């Protein structure tokens, strides 16, 4: 089945939307805590000061997470597009990855149940590994 290579940008834009939502939640939570705890922003100018002074860093922690392993997702998507090897399976895996990362963010910014969050993280890593394998095998013309 032929897939328009431009379709790979859908999951990329969806991840960007997730980053923007979590950035907004982080900003909103920081403002709320700065006001409630009467903390001057300059007193939390480093990550360790921030964590020590503010009680809830869930969204901020998740925001940071969105710039860690998802970078490999972005590289794969750009690579799939650049090499014109976007397949139906790669596109499906990219969307599954995004949905799992949304679940991870919902848990991380919400209940923050560590084992549930870990399961989402592990599932996202497995999907990303398979995405890279599909791309690599496609490049080798095995698939």
């Amino acid at each position: 089945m032929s897939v328009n290579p431009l379709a790979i940008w859908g999951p990329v834009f969806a991840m960007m939307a997730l980053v923007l939502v979590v950035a907004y939640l982080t900003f909103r939570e920081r403002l709320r805590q700065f006001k409630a705890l009467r903390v001057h922003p300059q007193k939390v100018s480093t990550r360790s000061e921030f964590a020590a002074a503010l009680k809830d860093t869930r969204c901020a922690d998740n925001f940071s997470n969105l710039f860690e392993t998802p970078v490999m997702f972005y590289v794969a998507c750009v690579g799939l597009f650049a090499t014109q090897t976007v397949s139906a399976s790669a596109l499906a895996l990219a969307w599954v990855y995004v949905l799992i990362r949304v679940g991870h963010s919902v848990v991380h910014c919400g209940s923050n149940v560590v084992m549930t969050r870990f399961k989402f993280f592990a599932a996202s890593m497995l999907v990303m590994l398979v995405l890279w394998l599909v791309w690599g095998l496609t490049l080798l013309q095995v698939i």
Side-chain angles (χ1 to χ4, degrees), residues 80-116:
L80 283 160
F81 180 76
T83 58
Q84 297 291 291
T85 53
V86 178
S87 63
S89 57
L91 185 60
L93 287 163
W95 277 113
V96 169
Y97 179 82
V98 170
L99 293 174
I100 294 170
R101 290 305 301 200
V102 167
H104 178 270
S105 291
V106 166
V107 171
H108 203 171
C109 293
S111 64
N112 201 23
V113 176
V114 174
M115 285 311 296
T116 303

Side-chain angles (χ1 to χ4, degrees), residues 9-105:
W9 295 110
V12 172
F13 278 98
M15 277 295 292
M16 186 61 198
L18 176 61
V19 169
L20 292 174
V21 167
V22 173
Y24 167 76
L25 295 173
T26 299
F27 177 74
R28 188 183 72 182
E29 184 57 29
R30 283 183 180 178
L31 282 181
R32 188 189 70 72
Q33 287 191 70
F34 284 151
K35 288 178 184 176
L37 300 172
R38 298 173 193 239
V39 175
H40 189 278
Q42 191 59 45
K43 294 200 182 229
V44 290
S45 62
T46 67
R47 189 174 288 200
S48 60
E49 291 170 339
F50 178 81
L54 301 181
K55 297 186 184 311
D56 187 355
T57 62
R58 292 173 298 170
C59 286
D61 293 342
N62 185 251
F63 185 73
S64 293
N65 287 170
L66 289 171
F67 292 94
E68 293 171 353
T69 59
V71 170
M72 295 182 291
F73 166 77
Y74 295 124
V75 170
C77 290
V78 170
L80 283 160
F81 180 76
T83 58
Q84 297 291 291
T85 53
V86 178
S87 63
S89 57
L91 185 60
L93 287 163
W95 277 113
V96 169
Y97 179 82
V98 170
L99 293 174
I100 294 170
R101 290 305 301 200
V102 167
H104 178 270
S105 291

